[in-house]
Every structure is written in structure tokens, then in C-alpha cells.
Amino acid sequence: MRTKRTKIYSLVLAFLICLTTVFTNTDTIQAAQKEYDILLEEEGTAVANTELSYDFTVDTNTNISLYFYVPDVLNCDVSIYDSAGDLYGDSVIYSTDWYWYEDAGLYCYGLTCDNMPSGDYNVTLMFDTDSQFLFDIDAEKILATISDKSATLSVGFTKKLKVDNTSESVTWSSSKASVATVNSKGVVTAKKAGTTTITAKTKSGQKLTCKITVKANTYKETKMTTSDLYYGNCGLQVYSSSYATNGDLVLKCRFVNYSGYKVTELKNVKITFKTDAGKTIGTYSTKSMKMSVSHGSTKDFTLTIKKANLKNKKADLRNATYSSSGKFQYSYYY
């Protein structure tokens, strides 16, 4: 009978039946995706109306499953007792409850106990006829999880990863430390643009990974054209922004003229950059900016907010936002 155990084990997972308040239903799809530890594995020949007794231990609060395999249908009493000898739960498997699998050549049945407390237990079986049998008790593994499967960081910024559902020690590593490093507490520090995989390994050997993508700490958007404006309007855009080596914030700007006139000057210009949390990084303002931009044309230029005037000298520009305002002065031409 032992040679058939592996084949029928996978089949019986689909048939875990609710019989009492202790033994409960299990979703068949979830059951196929979960991992289990074997708490007890027995086989032999049962004598009719003679009790069989087995001890087992549940290490952590979890769901357990009891699996039975017999060559012919029969009735079977099942009882579980806690370490104090008190009845934890019982059930009866009737001859009409078993499921037959042609390929396995055995009848199969399964019971589950949801949220079983950790501790020592004893299970008794009593068949009403002589029979060979296989009997297993499996505990659902509580697998550790990682807080993020993927994340994108700007160069110079950090993100803390966490491993939940485990009390084990965890070791951290990065597949490409030149892109991002990780310390013993799971704090990832972005170093340069690229990708790396952060791996958390539990003491028991479970590996959890997070793909980290690192991008330059630069604000960027597609350059504006006249097709982005209604006729009669102009637009002032910051299409790129980054910190200079001296700490100044450099704004690469574009003015788009679709007014129908030649623009000769911008007045009361104000550009304010803010973090994704809404806090001001810095503001550029001027009362007058001379320029000459014909209708249907654009002009690119660079503005600088000095480091001394910045309210945030190390902001995540990649996730920043900005607002711009001002007026334009134009002249008629034909």
C-alpha cells in the first residue's frame, strides 16, 4: 500500500468534508496552493472495533488535515484529545462518505480542524471491520511574507522592507549592491540607476524576494508642443528638474506660444516645486523675463533656484509636482 501513497495524496485534497463544529470545510483551490508539514504518518492493519491511538504535536496555531485511505468502505470513529485528556473533537466517517479513485485503487477521505491551538494531542481511530489503512495528519504551514514584491526608488533614497508571519531570524542580501544595498533590518538604499533583487531568507530556509528598480532623482515629463494648447493660449512648462553638484535646483523649462502673436516678455513668473506630500521644495519667481517667441514656436531655457533658497535640499524629485503662473506680453505682427 505504501507505493500508492503519493498518488492518492494529491487526489484527496479536493475532498475535505465538514462533519462537526470542529472538523470544517476547506476551499479546494486554496488547499492546492498551501504548503503542509507532516505531523503524523501511519499505516497498518486495523482490527475491527479495536482502538488505535497515536500522539502528535501542533507547534503553532494552524489548520490541520487528517487523511484516510482504505481498500474498502467501512465506518470509522475519529476522536482527538488534548494534553489534559479532554475531548477536543470527534467525528464518524460512514461507509457512504468515502470517495473511490480508479487510478489510485483506494477509497479516500479527509477531515480538517481549523485554527487548532499549539500543543500535544492524541488521536484515536476505530474501524468497524478489519482493514488495511494509511493515515496522515498534516499541518498547514504559516509561510512568511514580504511587505513588497517590487518597488521603485530614486537614487539616494531608502525604503524599509519587512518580513511578516515569522518569528525566525532573517538575513538580507542584494543581488547587485552597486544599484541598491540592504542592511540587517531590511532598509534598502538606492545607489544608482538599475535593477536589483533583494532577498530575505528565514532561518528555516524560506526565501522571499523584492525587485528593486532604481531611477535617477530627476523630475521629467514629455516636452509640450502647440498641439497641447488651445489656440490663443501659451504654456510654461518645466520638463526636467535635478539637483546640481553644488546643491542648486536646476529647472529646464519650455515656453510654448500658440497665442497668434509674437510674445516678447513674461511677467510675474512663479514656479513652485513640491514633494509628493505637498511640502514646498523651492520657488523660482521673477517680475520680468524678456524673450522673443513667434506664434507656433517654442523656446527652451534654464532657471536655477539657489541652494540657499531651497526649503528642502534633498527631495525626491522623481515624485515631485510643480505649478507655474504668470502673464505674457505680445506684439502684433503680420
Side-chain angles (χ1 to χ4, degrees), residues 54-67:
Y54 303 104
D55 295 324
F56 67 97
T57 299
V58 179
D59 292 328
T60 59
N61 292 15
T62 186
N63 302 330
I64 72 163
S65 301
L66 294 76
Y67 299 104

Side-chain angles (χ1 to χ4, degrees), residues 136-207:
D136 298 293
I137 300 179
D138 295 345
E140 180 185 323
K141 283 185 178 180
I142 301 176
L143 298 178
T145 58
I146 194 166
S147 55
D148 297 85
K149 295 292 184 69
S150 63
T152 300
L153 299 179
S154 300
V155 171
F157 287 83
T158 63
K159 181 177 181 63
K160 181 173 175 58
L161 300 176
K162 296 191 304 178
V163 173
D164 298 316
N165 298 328
T166 183
S167 59
E168 298 179 16
S169 60
V170 177
T171 56
W172 297 87
S173 62
S174 171
S175 65
K176 193 175 291 186
S178 61
V179 173
T181 59
V182 62
N183 67 14
S184 60
K185 295 183 179 181
V187 178
V188 179
T189 302
K191 296 294 186 180
K192 71 174 185 179
T195 59
T196 185
T197 299
I198 302 299
T199 300
K201 184 178 179 181
T202 65
K203 187 176 181 180
S204 61
Q206 185 183 351
K207 291 183 178 181

Side-chain angles (χ1 to χ4, degrees), residues 6 15 20 24 39-40 42 57 66 86 128 132 145-146 157 169 175 242 247 264 272 281 285 299 320:
T6 301
F15 297 97
T20 72
T24 60
L39 303 184
L40 182 69
E42 298 289 339
T57 299
L66 294 76
D86 296 326
D128 68 346
Q132 288 182 298
T145 58
I146 194 166
F157 287 83
S169 60
S175 65
S242 60
T264 58
T272 300
I281 300 170
S285 60
K299 181 177 179 62

Side-chain angles (χ1 to χ4, degrees), residues 272-282 311-312 315 320-321:
T272 300
F273 259 85
K274 293 186 177 183
T275 67
D276 58 352
K279 294 184 177 180
T280 299
I281 300 170
K311 292 186 177 181
N312 190 329
T321 59

Side-chain angles (χ1 to χ4, degrees), residues 112-314:
T112 63
C113 292
D114 289 338
N115 301 316
M116 194 167 190
S118 59
D120 296 323
Y121 293 89
N122 174 266
V123 59
T124 62
L125 312 177
M126 188 162 64
F127 300 91
D128 68 346
T129 60
D130 294 350
S131 178
Q132 288 182 298
F133 69 94
L134 288 173
F135 172 56
D136 298 293
I137 300 179
D138 295 345
E140 180 185 323
K141 283 185 178 180
I142 301 176
L143 298 178
T145 58
I146 194 166
S147 55
D148 297 85
K149 295 292 184 69
S150 63
T152 300
L153 299 179
S154 300
V155 171
F157 287 83
T158 63
K159 181 177 181 63
K160 181 173 175 58
L161 300 176
K162 296 191 304 178
V163 173
D164 298 316
N165 298 328
T166 183
S167 59
E168 298 179 16
S169 60
V170 177
T171 56
W172 297 87
S173 62
S174 171
S175 65
K176 193 175 291 186
S178 61
V179 173
T181 59
V182 62
N183 67 14
S184 60
K185 295 183 179 181
V187 178
V188 179
T189 302
K191 296 294 186 180
K192 71 174 185 179
T195 59
T196 185
T197 299
I198 302 299
T199 300
K201 184 178 179 181
T202 65
K203 187 176 181 180
S204 61
Q206 185 183 351
K207 291 183 178 181
L208 305 160
T209 60
C210 175
K211 181 180 178 181
I212 297 292
T213 300
V214 178
K215 295 185 177 182
N217 187 24
T218 302
Y219 176 87
K220 285 186 177 181
E221 60 182 50
T222 303
K223 286 185 177 182
M224 185 186 298
T225 67
T226 55
S227 63
D228 297 310
L229 300 174
Y230 290 109
Y231 182 82
N233 292 325
C234 294
L236 177 59
Q237 175 197 33
V238 179
Y239 61 84
S240 178
S241 177
S242 60
Y243 287 103
T245 54
N246 66 357
D248 293 347
L249 184 61
V250 178
L251 313 179
K252 293 185 177 181
C253 306
R254 166 168 283 200
F255 180 77
V256 182
N257 183 6
Y258 200 44
S259 66
Y261 307 102
K262 181 180 179 179
V263 173
T264 58
E265 184 180 5
L266 301 184
K267 291 186 174 183
N268 299 321
V269 174
K270 184 177 181 181
I271 301 173
T272 300
F273 259 85
K274 293 186 177 183
T275 67
D276 58 352
K279 294 184 177 180
T280 299
I281 300 170
T283 300
Y284 178 90
S285 60
T286 182
K287 290 183 178 180
S288 177
M289 186 183 299
K290 299 292 185 182
M291 62 174 54
S292 178
V293 185
S294 301
H295 167 72
S297 300
T298 64
K299 181 177 179 62
D300 293 344
F301 54 95
T302 300
L303 302 175
T304 300
I305 305 175
K306 295 295 184 180
K307 179 180 178 180
N309 296 326
L310 293 174
K311 292 186 177 181
N312 190 329
K313 296 176 173 57
K314 188 184 176 182

